[in-house]
Amino acid sequence: MLGEAGRVLYVGKAKNLQRRVGSYFNRSKNLRIQTMVSQIRDIEITVTHTEAEALLLENNLIKNLKPRYNILLRDDKSYPYIYLSADDFPRLAVHRGARKLKGRYFGPYPSASAVRETMYLLRKLFPVRQCEDSYYNNRSRACLQYQIKRCTAPCVGLVGRDIYASDVQDIVLFLEGKTNDVVVGLVKRMQQASLELEFEQAARYRDQIDAIKQVQERQYVSGERGDLDMVACALQQGVACLQVFYIRHGRNLGNKAFFPKGSENRQPRDIISAFIAQHYLGKAVPREILVSHLPLDIDVLQQALSAQAGRKVVIRSRLRSDRARWMKLALHNAELALKSRLSSKAGAHARNAALARALELESPPTRMECFDISHTSGEKTLASCVVFNEAGPLKSDYRRFNIDGITAGDDYAAMHQALQRRYKRLKAGEGRMPDILLIDGGKGQLAAAAQVLDDLDISGILLLGVAKGADRRPGMERLFLLGREQPLILPEHSPALHLIQQIRDEAHRFAITGHRQRRNKSGSRSTLEGIPGIGPKRRQRLLTQFGGLQGVARAGVEDIATVEGVSSKLAEQIYQTFHGNE
């Protein structure tokens, strides 16, 4: 569809051309379509042999012409891979572009930073060369990488081919997601080194095991062993976010967020359809693509992608078990990325202005503080204080307070102690007083906070109590102000309420994180001993497999269950012991 001076407005495909073109001139269409139609001066038509061919042509034209009324995706030309050469002493490198060189390619990775992180880890774990061939072929002595034990110097013959091949095999297993096989081998080497009293070498193996376990936590996808991508779409206020998780050989290589243009008045299934066509056509395609919303033209998409890949490509949306759990995670990531996008600086100013109107203030607040309390059955009580300014969170001013000397579980006393310590310092000139002080609670908590400020002779701060509504549902909060009998209830869609919820939730998150750290630090000595079913042998296996207690604490349920003698139920119990139920 062409506008003035032949400018392309829209590119589309259709199996029934008459019906599709006629639908655009239906008066019931939304304002966006009506606006586009009013600008049409000409329509050009190209006939293709098949729907798949039409799909390819459509997306080539969209990429080249970038029509205003199409869903437009920022097109990344190529994704990075990790390349392992086929030389006698293979080289490990980052690769972009056509895969013409002999060797193995692992990926694609969603970003250069994901590749750099993996390459940095591999450099620490496995001493395989990463230098260019021109550098490698002209060495007369070992370089600095050999001195710092990041390479075994095959360039000058300081390592045999068998030993080097063993390191290369470990890298291949690691990049294929078979990290348990690597860990088992390292555990045997560590135990052998200990028996031979080579404790320095044993410690090095232990550090390798710990590092592998850490990356395994981030990258391993339970129940998957193949190649697939997960595509989740979140849509709000006319803005769409597509979150893509890349799974290769059962490993999560990372995720990436896309924000396509032209998403107004579109359905998530239409956005996913446009994304899949633009993102995958002309690039490497996994065997499966899992989607949060099934496109209407799924058959055409599968046909085109299968023809391109030379094998069957399946798009699925009805997911169960682990796949459903991972899609839920992808959707959650999409929603978070979208919220972050919408919560721009301009949006923060608008929400501040809305809060000023809701609270009948003369001007928007420039500094707000919120306190929250966290403990486990009264033990290891901790208070958090988060600070927001006009632009959002001011994390450099966040503070935590360890609460001692109070009756276990007395939240009023804990809040009183935290407020006293905080505002004594501010009154002494150690910081800036806030315009608004938010307290998580109702009239009782608000009165206790007011008493602290009165005792310290501090005035000019607006106190605001935030009480959860019925069934503790978000959007039903009640706001209490001193001197006001009835609570203030803002509409669920109010920007002012969204700002208050964000501040309160951030205080809650900051408090829980600090409490867990305090609890784990104090109880780390006897944590495993206190779990029923964990005897000396299983405890030793856990500590050996994960390189110590901190490694066990960081491990996921699936990782713990891989240890010999640990069932899935016991693994869940170990995980809950370290992480609790908050």
Side-chain angles (χ1 to χ4, degrees):
M1 296 181 178
L2 307 177
E4 294 289 350
R7 181 169 56 91
V8 179
L9 301 174
Y10 181 81
V11 176
K13 69 180 189 306
K15 187 173 182 180
N16 186 319
L17 187 63
Q18 182 179 6
R19 185 185 303 167
R20 175 73 187 274
V21 174
S23 70
Y24 285 99
F25 296 89
N26 187 329
R27 292 186 178 181
S28 65
K29 291 294 180 182
N30 59 53
L31 181 61
R32 173 184 159 279
I33 297 298
Q34 291 178 20
T35 304
M36 180 187 75
V37 170
S38 69
Q39 299 176 35
I40 296 174
R41 298 295 177 266
D42 194 10
I43 297 177
E44 290 185 359
I45 296 169
T46 301
V47 179
T48 63
H49 293 95
T50 64
E51 280 190 85
E53 189 178 336
L55 177 70
L56 290 168
L57 177 59
E58 177 192 40
N59 285 283
N60 285 333
L61 291 173
I62 289 172
K63 289 180 179 180
N64 292 328
L65 302 175
K66 296 180 172 57
R68 178 179 179 183
Y69 291 96
N70 280 96
I71 296 174
L72 300 177
L73 176 68
R74 180 177 174 270
D75 185 27
D76 292 296
K77 297 302 180 186
S78 66
Y79 284 93
Y81 287 78
I82 288 180
Y83 168 64
L84 187 65
S85 70
D87 302 318
D88 290 338
F89 292 93
R91 167 184 173 242
L92 201 64
V94 178
H95 178 83
R96 283 185 185 269
R99 292 176 284 168
K100 297 179 180 179
L101 300 174
K102 291 184 179 179
R104 294 196 59 177
Y105 294 85
F106 301 91
Y109 285 77
S111 64
S113 60
V115 173
R116 283 196 298 270
E117 180 183 353
T118 303
M119 290 290 284
Y120 175 74
L121 180 70
L122 291 173
R123 191 181 296 119
K124 290 176 64 178
L125 291 177
F126 310 108
V128 171
R129 75 179 183 95
Q130 298 186 17
C131 56
E132 296 282 350
D133 288 342
S134 58
Y135 185 84
Y136 171 78
N137 292 327
N138 293 286
R139 294 299 299 174
S140 59
R141 60 176 182 172
C143 67
L144 179 62
Q145 294 298 316
Y146 172 75
Q147 303 296 333
I148 62 175
K149 296 180 173 56
R150 299 290 171 85
C151 180
T152 48
C155 53
V156 291
L158 296 182
V159 62
R161 187 172 296 180
D162 292 342
I163 296 175
Y164 193 89
S166 176
D167 288 331
V168 170
Q169 183 60 29
D170 281 347
I171 285 180
V172 171
L173 290 172
F174 177 81
L175 291 174
E176 288 181 344
K178 300 174 183 177
T179 48
N180 281 336
D181 295 345
V182 182
V183 169
V184 168
L186 289 172
V187 167
K188 290 179 180 177
R189 293 180 220 169
M190 180 180 68
Q191 292 171 342
Q192 184 62 35
S194 297
L195 291 174
E196 296 173 0
L197 305 182
E198 295 179 0
F199 298 116
E200 185 177 346
Q201 184 64 32
R204 192 172 295 116
Y205 288 137
R206 179 203 62 202
D207 294 340
Q208 282 183 292
I209 293 167
D210 185 50
I212 290 174
K213 284 298 180 182
Q214 287 184 46
V215 78
Q216 187 184 38
E217 292 162 15
R218 297 193 301 270
Q219 296 189 340
Y220 183 68
V221 179
S222 176
E224 295 296 345
R225 288 294 182 272
D227 294 351
L228 62 87
D229 286 355
M230 288 180 284
V231 181
C233 179
L235 184 63
Q236 187 178 345
Q237 299 178 23
V239 180
C241 174
L242 288 147
Q243 191 77 217
V244 185
F245 277 67
Y246 300 82
I247 312 301
R248 298 295 180 270
H249 301 294
R251 289 175 56 247
N252 182 2
L253 298 186
N255 56 299
K256 187 170 184 178
F258 297 85
F259 297 92
K261 294 181 180 179
S263 302
E264 302 87 354
N265 301 309
R266 310 275 191 169
Q267 296 295 321
R269 65 189 182 190
D270 300 327
I271 297 169
I272 287 179
S273 174
F275 172 81
I276 289 176
Q278 294 183 46
H279 182 68
Y280 289 105
L281 292 179
K283 296 196 181 91
V285 187
R287 293 184 179 276
E288 288 186 272
I289 301 174
L290 311 182
V291 296
S292 59
H293 303 80
L294 196 65
L296 292 177
D297 57 348
I298 177 176
D299 293 336
V300 179
L301 288 170
Q302 289 182 148
Q303 181 185 348
L305 294 177
S306 297
Q308 174 185 307
R311 52 176 162 71
K312 188 175 181 180
V313 175
V314 181
I315 301 173
R316 306 182 193 275
S317 68
R318 295 182 178 178
L319 309 176
R320 301 172 62 184
S321 189
D322 287 337
R323 290 187 167 197
R325 181 167 61 90
W326 278 91
M327 178 56 71
K328 185 178 179 181
L329 176 65
L331 270 170
H332 182 60
N333 276 268
E335 290 164 359
L336 288 178
L338 185 58
K339 284 181 181 178
S340 177
R341 185 84 162 195
L342 295 173
S343 301
S344 61
K345 195 169 184 179
H349 283 287
R351 291 189 300 167
N352 277 357
L355 182 61
R357 290 192 297 271
L359 300 179
E360 300 178 356
L361 304 177
E362 294 181 1
S363 59
T366 59
R367 187 178 178 90
M368 294 165 282
E369 294 189 355
C370 183
F371 285 76
D372 193 27
I373 306 296
S374 181
H375 57 78
T376 301
S377 301
E379 295 292 324
K380 302 293 179 286
T381 303
L382 182 139
S384 71
C385 170
V386 300
V387 182
F388 277 58
N389 61 12
E390 308 99 312
L394 193 61
K395 295 194 175 183
S396 60
D397 285 7
Y398 284 17
R399 295 292 182 270
R400 289 191 180 111
F401 303 91
N402 290 330
I403 305 299
D404 297 302
I406 64 169
T407 303
D410 189 343
D411 287 354
Y412 283 94
M415 184 66 72
H416 186 278
Q417 186 179 133
L419 290 171
Q420 267 206 333
R421 290 164 59 182
R422 172 68 171 171
Y423 288 100
K424 271 185 180 179
R425 294 174 183 174
L426 295 187
K427 189 175 180 182
E430 293 185 21
R432 179 183 159 193
M433 290 287 183
D435 302 315
I436 299 177
L437 170 58
L438 289 89
I439 302 296
D440 188 9
K443 289 184 178 180
Q445 287 88 343
L446 197 65
Q451 184 62 51
V452 173
L453 297 185
D454 285 342
D455 293 343
L456 296 174
D457 195 24
I458 295 174
S459 60
I461 298 178
L462 176 66
L463 284 170
L464 181 64
V466 184
K468 296 179 178 67
D471 300 325
R472 304 173 71 88
R473 285 174 52 198
M476 305 294 290
E477 288 83 356
R478 295 170 297 158
L479 309 179
F480 291 91
L481 294 152
L482 282 178
R484 182 167 177 165
E485 194 63 29
Q486 294 299 321
L488 174 64
I489 300 177
L490 298 177
E492 188 174 353
H493 56 77
S494 166
L497 179 61
H498 296 166
L499 176 59
I500 290 171
Q501 289 172 335
Q502 182 187 2
I503 297 173
R504 179 204 59 198
D505 293 346
E506 177 67 356
H508 184 63
R509 179 201 66 79
F510 195 54
I512 286 221
T513 303
H515 168 64
R516 284 176 177 165
Q517 291 171 353
R518 188 184 184 198
R519 184 187 62 196
N520 292 341
K521 184 177 180 181
S522 66
S524 60
R525 269 190 203 172
S526 58
T527 304
L528 288 177
E529 285 90 332
I531 301 175
I534 299 292
K537 288 187 178 179
R538 282 181 181 161
R539 184 166 65 249
Q540 185 60 41
R541 287 188 195 125
L542 284 164
L543 295 173
T544 301
Q545 188 85 349
F546 294 97
L549 194 64
Q550 289 185 353
V552 179
R554 286 193 298 262
V557 176
E558 295 90 349
D559 297 322
I560 297 172
T562 62
V563 177
E564 182 184 354
V566 178
S567 65
S568 298
K569 184 177 180 180
L570 184 55
E572 180 70 34
Q573 191 174 352
I574 294 169
Y575 181 89
Q576 290 299 331
T577 299
F578 284 97
H579 297 273
N581 296 309
E582 292 101 329

